[in-house]
Amino acid sequence: MSHKRIPKRRVAMAAGGVVALGAAAVLLPSANASQDGGSSDDAAAPRTLKAADAPDLASRLAGLLGDAFAGSYYDADEQRLVVNVVPGDDDQVIVRAEKAGAQVREVDNTMGELRDGARTLKSRATIPGTSWAIDPRTNKILVTADSTVTGAEWDRLESTVQGLGTGMATLKQSPGTFKTFASGGDAIFGGGARCSLGFNVTAGDGAPAFLTAGHCGVADDQWSEAQDGPPTATVDQAVFPGEGDFALVRYDDPATQAPSEVDLGDQAVPIVRAAEATVGQQVFRMGSTTGLADGQVLGLDATVNYPEGTVTGLIQTNVCAEPGDSGGPLFTQDGLAVGLTSGGSGDCTVGGETFFQPVTTALEAVGATLGDGTGAGAGQAGDGGAGAADQAGEENAGGADADGGGTGQAGEDAGGDTGAGADGDGVGGPDDAGDPGDTGDLGDGTGAGAAAGSGPTG
């Protein structure tokens, strides 16, 4: 059987060069670095853990603590999950949270009160150019208005925020304008719009497909990899505005090779699975206009009032983006797919707020899968290597092939370096002392977790 081979897009990074290079310096050397995480609930508390493990612990604690749970966030400096607790009649909630491995902080506002406040904003202040999300770091609702919200609309928003009560919300104005980013760039083209491919996925019937922004999917039903080129993919499902901003787009050729990776222009980052975002988590965004940028997650379940309508359930970040970046991937340094670029304000010169569609929600809605859903690409113990979740002290840890064998070149330090090397690049991992290893030599393998063949990449 012949396989259609679509060349990788070589993403121009000139527009966001300084930001892109800075992000790459953070991302690539530590792509396979391990962190010291506890393995059981009776570990010393608070324990350190990777950002990727924080959502699972937060979810467990939300169920364990009940009404006392008031949100959580990841402290990247301390590598700990901080859990907000509202003291009540049960004086054991703090003990339970600490035993589970979290750092506990007592706060005033319950999640119920904060959610009630968000509902009040929705009913009284759904104004184009506004957004709100619960910020667990301040234990308040973060309300933002763009530069178009003035006069009577600003007064109505300000009055609504004040009516929530003291200590319930903060209000700030952004100098930019909330908008979707479906123009500019050079990645995928349709109906006069240009967007970015998010993540390659497998549709429910096993066909190759990809995720992108919903507002791109409603702009046109056929997309090409070249401006004025022949269509190569067709929209299957799209949601925008409403409960999300995502689209599933099927490749027209069912033999298309669609590896699970993010193309950085000169190399690729393997994507192993989808994951929930955590407030405080460091994330990276790739877009066809600005290239690579990084920042932090600021809020979850955000509501954004675009000119086209209201979108709910988004991730709020301080990662910059510009027109053409719409639909592009938001991911972590260890290869977890987190979001799809939706829109925001500002640019990569002055900064601003950017909102992302959670990948997990999109996958569930369209019935698609990414990777194997459980972290495919990690090598199996004893089979030659560990993939994205390398353990210190293992040698020749590259991306795993079908039997877990590493294909990337080993790093230079003995006893603990890892070969990440998408497209054959080796990246040093942690040494025995836990410090970053040296940059590995260029390898000739396929890189960590990279799928066979070359095809469209996110």
Side-chain angles (χ1 to χ4, degrees):
M1 175 186 296
S2 62
H3 292 270
K4 180 179 180 181
R5 297 171 62 86
I6 301 177
K8 291 182 180 180
R9 288 174 298 281
R10 309 300 290 182
V11 179
M13 297 175 122
V18 175
V19 175
L21 290 175
V26 174
L27 174 64
L28 298 179
S30 57
N32 284 341
S34 296
Q35 293 174 324
D36 180 18
S39 59
S40 66
D41 284 350
D42 56 1
R47 74 171 191 260
T48 60
L49 76 165
K50 295 190 296 183
D53 297 328
D56 289 339
L57 179 56
S59 178
R60 288 170 49 208
L61 285 170
L64 180 68
L65 302 180
D67 292 341
F69 179 81
S72 63
Y73 63 95
Y74 184 69
D75 184 334
D77 292 335
E78 299 294 330
Q79 296 181 351
R80 294 172 179 170
L81 181 72
V82 180
V83 174
N84 294 335
V85 172
V86 178
D89 296 335
D90 185 356
D91 58 3
Q92 291 299 305
V93 292
I94 294 177
V95 174
R96 288 197 291 270
E98 290 177 339
K99 184 177 180 181
Q103 179 177 328
V104 178
R105 186 179 70 150
E106 294 187 21
V107 296
D108 296 326
N109 298 320
T110 67
M111 283 300 294
E113 290 169 337
L114 293 170
R115 287 170 178 155
D116 285 344
R119 283 190 285 268
T120 298
L121 287 163
K122 180 179 180 181
S123 64
R124 300 180 184 176
T126 297
I127 302 166
T130 61
S131 71
W132 49 82
I134 295 173
D135 180 4
R137 290 172 300 183
T138 62
N139 188 229
K140 296 179 182 179
I141 304 169
L142 174 61
V143 184
T144 307
D146 72 14
S147 60
T148 67
V149 182
T150 59
E153 290 183 335
W154 173 264
D155 293 341
R156 175 155 63 101
L157 180 63
E158 187 175 44
S159 174
T160 303
V161 169
Q162 291 174 348
L164 298 178
T166 304
M168 281 293 295
T170 59
L171 174 61
K172 72 170 188 175
Q173 190 148 32
S174 172
T177 302
F178 288 158
K179 58 185 181 295
T180 55
F181 292 134
S183 62
D186 59 357
I188 55 175
F189 301 82
R194 291 191 289 186
C195 291
S196 295
L197 187 151
F199 297 99
N200 282 319
V201 298
T202 303
D205 61 358
F210 64 84
L211 294 176
T212 190
H215 64 267
C216 298
V218 300
D220 193 28
D221 61 356
Q222 290 191 313
W223 289 81
S224 171
E225 64 172 358
Q227 191 168 18
D228 300 323
T232 57
T234 302
V235 174
D236 181 82
Q237 303 176 53
V239 174
F240 178 83
E243 297 181 357
D245 184 3
F246 57 88
L248 176 70
V249 187
R250 291 173 176 265
Y251 290 107
D252 294 337
D253 184 349
T256 297
Q257 297 295 311
S260 183
E261 60 186 32
V262 173
D263 184 8
L264 300 184
D266 57 353
Q267 55 187 302
V269 174
I271 298 298
V272 295
R273 63 181 174 88
E276 301 286 349
T278 303
V279 172
Q281 179 181 28
Q282 183 185 32
V283 285
F284 296 84
R285 176 201 54 74
M286 190 66 189
S288 59
T289 299
T290 57
L292 186 66
D294 70 320
Q296 281 193 341
V297 175
L298 302 180
L300 304 177
D301 197 20
T303 295
V304 186
N305 296 298
Y306 291 122
E308 300 91 340
T310 299
V311 180
T312 60
L314 301 182
I315 302 166
Q316 183 170 351
T317 78
N318 61 4
V319 184
C320 73
E322 295 183 6
D325 291 331
S326 274
L330 185 74
F331 57 101
T332 68
Q333 65 178 0
D334 48 357
L336 301 180
V338 175
L340 306 166
T341 306
S342 173
S345 67
D347 53 37
C348 288
T349 300
V350 301
E353 298 80 21
T354 304
F355 301 93
F356 295 84
Q357 164 66 45
V359 170
T360 52
T361 305
L363 289 171
E364 182 178 5
V366 302
T369 56
L370 189 157
D372 69 355
T374 58
Q380 300 299 315
D383 286 340
D390 304 310
Q391 299 299 316
E394 294 180 356
E395 296 182 1
N396 195 28
D401 57 16
D403 63 359
T407 58
Q409 186 76 5
E412 293 179 347
D413 284 353
D417 287 350
T418 59
D423 297 335
D425 292 340
V427 179
D431 57 25
D432 290 337
D435 296 328
D438 296 333
T439 300
D441 296 331
L442 293 180
D444 57 1
T446 60
S454 64
T457 57

